[in-house]
């Protein structure tokens, strides 16, 4: 099966935005106008194609990123619709890691909202070119130019409108296309297709057109010498020249083309499709992907079908019919059905079973996945999110995907004995899918603790356990994912000796410990000289320390942000062993940790509340009573936006509180920001309660 579309006409794009900006609605229009679907699916009636999970259709939100493929103007568009809720930010993170471009949606009324900033930063981190679409321009209070200003001031971008809205008493009647110098009028009351007709720009809009066209040419000229010369010479610039200049600027991430419309009313989406093709990159427009050889040297892979295979597994789905489905992006070469590939991250060779192209949750079998394409592989049982798949004869390891740590936990236990095995299997499968969902303990110990990014995240996990795996489970109250660290240096010299007849156990280690910067994690430094400890025992020392860190010392929470140096030690020719050094290191670490003035750390959340102005005072006071620090209050089109840093421990049940404080008119978003020390008086109570819980297990 040959490639359908040349690589230069392939677009891998994602749709990113704050929750409720209209991502899925835009995706549904794209699918309809490109002929991928033959009816419009709406979010509000639970019929959206891209929101295929039962939980998504019931709640009217996107939970998991959905992939599909469509065609527009002889171009192939591989599209991923991502969630907007902060609890599912992992879906945005791993999607942006493999996409070449993105469409950022903004509400015409809400503008740049809290999660808009988060997804924009994620796109910046992966250097993804962006075009912006200001949606919901049909709503009362929509202000296109205010949103453009906010994109510039709050996101630090360089927005360049390529269309401007024509708004009358009837609402959004059309847009002026600044590149093609024409007015697109939308014909009401058509609700099925984007029926429009084009006319010359009306005289009353001519001044506005001239002003924004000049702005457009100025911005495009900044990165295009040919356009700059023509602009300075006051020569006419053709539409084709302008598109080429804007494309170069967009790929260089120096400008962000901005469009507008109202997706729900079928306005502006076809012009958005044109912009996706015109301005966002194909795989060959971007630099070659960089990876490392097994020896650690830097190597690159150029996107071409006959190149050496290099692909990244960016998502794993546990399907009850298909088994383990691995979503991949092929950067170079071609992956063939039935071929063998090397998982260079794990060092395992695996056989490709089936290859598929996805349309939400529907599969289409493929014989091959070519360079630049996104597809699904079945049969890679040992592959996880972030693993590299490559040619066994030409190994390469691509940069993995980093995910935030979970911040909230609940205990979960089976309702009946028959549910026990199903619970273990279900949790294992779901943890494979979602790197921000972790499982600790085990059902056989009587209690399992699951951790995630928020209350909604864990609610969805428990709901999926019941529906997809048929598990009856009892869930405990939410618990904060505290951490432990030290505040000062310490040094310990510890000996472990045990004699009980026959061969004994002997080890002695000297370690130095000190705190590291917040978020730096664990660092182990081997400073042994002169063979004081044989080289084969040093990994056992590190392993003993890591095992102890995971269990915690001060209050039984994991230890973070600490550096340990192994400086000296002793061994016995007969009685020393890896086990002895592991136990010795564990005991030494516990002693040193207690000497280092331990403290408890708690997750602090960035909270953004959008509220009518009359409720801002009471909401601010409530946040302060929760140990919150107000970082700013801004006036918005919706009233006030209150920003604060609040410990997660104080935010349980906040959704109910804010409804009561604002008569249901305020909304909020919350995401993890960083860890910081718990006040001593509060920490004492937490530690005491935790020790009681641990003693009862």
């Amino acid at each position: 099966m040959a490639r359908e579309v040349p690589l230069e006409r392939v677009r891998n794009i994602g749709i990113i935005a704050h929750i409720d900006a209209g991502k899925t609605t835009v995706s549904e229009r794209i699918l309809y106008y490109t002929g991928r679907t033959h009816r419009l699916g709406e979010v509000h009636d639970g019929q959206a194609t891209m929101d295929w999970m039962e939980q998504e259709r019931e709640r009217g939100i996107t939970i998991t990123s959905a992939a599909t493929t469509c065609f527009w103007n002889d171009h192939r568009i591989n599209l991923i619709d991502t969630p907007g809720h902060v609890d599912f930010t992992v879906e945005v993170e791993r999607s942006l890691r493999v996409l070449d471009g993105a469409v950022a949606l903004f509400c015409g009324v809400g503008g740049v909202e809290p999660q808009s900033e988060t997804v924009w930063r994620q796109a910046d981190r992966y250097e993804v070119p962006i075009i912006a679409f200001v949606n919901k321009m049909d709503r009362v209070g929509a202000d296109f130019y205010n949103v453009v200003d906010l994109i510039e001031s709050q996101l630090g971008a360089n927005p360049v409108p390529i269309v401007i809205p024509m708004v009358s008493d009837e609402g959004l009647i059309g847009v002026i296309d600044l590149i093609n110098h024409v007015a697109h009028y939308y014909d009401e009351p058509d609700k099925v297709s984007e029926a429009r007709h084009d006319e010359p720009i009306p005289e009353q809009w001519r001044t506005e057109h001239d002003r924004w066209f000049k702005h457009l040419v100025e911005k495009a000229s900044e990165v295009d010498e040919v356009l700059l010369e023509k602009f300075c010479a006051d020569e006419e610039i053709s539409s084709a020249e302008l598109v080429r200049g804007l494309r170069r600027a967009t790929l260089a991430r120096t400008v962000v083309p901005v469009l507008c419309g109202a997706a729900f009313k079928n306005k502006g989406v076809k012009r958005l499709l044109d912009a996706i093709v015109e301005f966002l990159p194909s795989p060959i427009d971007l630099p070659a992907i960089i990876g490392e050889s097994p020896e650690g040297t830097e190597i690159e892979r150029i996107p071409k079908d006959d190149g050496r295979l290099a692909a990244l597994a960016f998502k794993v789905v546990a399907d009850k019919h298909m088994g383990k489905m691995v979503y991949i992006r092929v950067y170079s070469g071609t992956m063939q059905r039935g071929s063998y590939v090397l998982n260079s991250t794990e060092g395992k060779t695996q056989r490709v079973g089936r290859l598929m192209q996805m349309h939400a949750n529907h599969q289409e079998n493929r014989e091959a996945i070519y360079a630049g394409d996104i597809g699904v592989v079945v049969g890679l049982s040992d592959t996880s999110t972030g693993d590299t798949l490559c040619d066994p004869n030409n190994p390469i390891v691509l940069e993995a995907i980093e995910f935030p740590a979970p911040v909230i936990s609940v205990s979960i236990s089976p309702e009946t004995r028959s549910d026990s095995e199903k619970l273990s299997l279900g949790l294992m499968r779901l943890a494979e899918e979602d790197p921000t969902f972790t499982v600790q303990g085990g059902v056989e110990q009587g209690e399992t603790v699951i951790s995630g990014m928020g209350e909604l995240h864990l609610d969805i996990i428990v709901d999926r356990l019941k529906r997809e795996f048929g598990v009856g489970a009892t869930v405990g109250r939410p618990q904060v994912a505290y951490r432990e660290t030290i505040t000062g240096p310490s040094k310990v010299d510890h000996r472990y000796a045990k004699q009980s007849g026959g061969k004994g156990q002997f080890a002695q280690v000297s370690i130095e410990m000190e705190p590291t910067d917040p978020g730096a994690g664990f660092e182990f430094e081997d400073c042994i000289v002169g063979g004081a400890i044989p080289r084969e025992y040093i990994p056992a020392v590190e392993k003993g320390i890591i095992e102890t860190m995971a269990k915690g010392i001060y209050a039984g929470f994991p230890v973070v942000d600490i550096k340990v140096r192994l400086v000296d030690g002793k061994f016995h020719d007969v009685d020393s062993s890896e086990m002895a050094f592991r136990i010795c290191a564990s005991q030494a670490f516990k002693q040193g940790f207690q000497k280092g003035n331990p403290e408890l750390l708690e997750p602090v959340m960035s909270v953004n509340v959008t509220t009518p102005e009359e409720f801002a005072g009471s909401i601010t006071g409530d946040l302060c009573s929760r140990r919150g620090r107000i970082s700013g209050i801004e006036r918005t089109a919706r009233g006030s936006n209150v920003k604060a840093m609040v410990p997660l421990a104080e935010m349980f049940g906040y959704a109910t509180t804010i409804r009561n404080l604002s008569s249901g008119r305020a909304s909020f978003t919350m995401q993890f920001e960083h860890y910081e020390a718990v006040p001593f008086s509060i920490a004492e109570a937490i530690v005491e309660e935790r020790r009681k819980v641990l003693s009862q297990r």
Side-chain angles (χ1 to χ4, degrees), residues 40 170 186-196 264-267:
L40 282 175
E170 302 171 10
Y186 300 107
D187 301 327
E188 295 284 4
D190 189 283
K191 295 292 183 184
V192 178
S193 64
E194 183 178 297
R196 81 179 192 208
F264 183 65
K265 296 290 181 66
N266 310 308
K267 298 178 179 181

Side-chain angles (χ1 to χ4, degrees), residues 186-243:
Y186 300 107
D187 301 327
E188 295 284 4
D190 189 283
K191 295 292 183 184
V192 178
S193 64
E194 183 178 297
R196 81 179 192 208
H197 67 276
D198 296 345
E199 293 183 7
I201 298 169
E203 196 59 40
Q204 68 265 34
W205 294 99
R206 177 61 62 178
T207 302
E208 198 75 0
H209 163 273
D210 293 345
R211 182 165 76 90
W212 285 102
F213 176 71
K214 182 180 178 182
H215 177 264
L216 171 61
V217 174
E218 286 177 351
K219 293 295 186 181
S221 301
E222 290 175 359
V223 292
D224 191 297
E225 293 183 3
V226 176
L227 289 183
L228 182 60
E229 289 178 8
K230 286 197 168 189
F231 178 70
C232 294
D234 203 22
E235 296 179 17
E236 184 178 347
I237 297 174
S238 69
S239 297
E241 289 174 320
L242 200 50
V243 168

Side-chain angles (χ1 to χ4, degrees), residues 387-554:
D387 287 355
T388 300
L389 303 171
C390 61
D391 180 352
N393 298 318
N394 296 281
I396 183 174
V397 180
L398 303 178
E399 181 184 356
I401 310 172
E402 292 187 8
F403 299 108
V407 296
I408 186 170
S409 306
V410 296
S411 61
I412 186 169
S413 56
E415 288 183 349
T416 65
R417 184 169 296 179
S418 62
D419 286 322
S420 180
E421 186 175 341
K422 290 191 291 184
L423 178 61
S424 296
L425 176 63
L427 291 175
M428 181 183 71
R429 292 275 180 84
L430 294 174
E432 277 185 341
E433 283 190 17
D434 188 348
T436 60
F437 170 65
T438 61
V439 182
Q440 294 175 308
V443 178
E444 65 275 5
Q445 276 85 41
E447 183 184 63
T448 300
V449 176
I450 58 175
S451 304
M453 300 304 297
E455 291 180 88
L456 178 59
H457 186 195
L458 294 181
D459 282 348
I460 297 296
I461 291 288
V462 173
D463 193 44
R464 290 188 63 189
L465 282 171
K466 292 177 180 177
R467 296 195 193 197
E468 296 176 26
F469 299 94
V471 178
T474 303
V475 180
R477 67 183 183 87
Q479 305 165 6
V480 178
Y482 291 103
R483 297 290 184 264
E484 303 176 7
T485 192
I486 57 175
T487 58
S490 67
K491 184 175 181 180
V492 173
D493 185 14
H494 180 72
R495 171 181 296 204
Y496 172 71
K498 189 174 182 181
Q499 193 73 40
S500 58
K503 183 180 176 181
Q505 295 285 345
F506 176 85
Q508 184 170 334
V509 298
S510 293
I511 59 174
E512 296 176 353
M513 301 163 55
E514 62 184 38
T516 59
D517 295 332
F522 170 64
E523 183 180 346
F524 179 79
E525 186 177 350
D526 172 18
C527 299
I528 293 296
V529 294
I533 298 177
R535 309 307 305 172
E536 63 264 26
Y537 295 145
I538 290 175
V541 173
E542 183 177 6
K543 186 176 181 181
I545 292 171
I546 291 174
E547 288 174 350
T548 307
M549 288 176 62
K551 296 176 182 177
I553 301 161
Y554 181 41

Side-chain angles (χ1 to χ4, degrees), residues 244-263:
R244 285 196 297 270
L246 270 176
R247 178 176 177 78
R248 281 192 285 269
T250 305
L251 300 189
R253 302 183 71 250
T254 57
V255 304
V256 176
V258 184
L259 300 95
C260 65

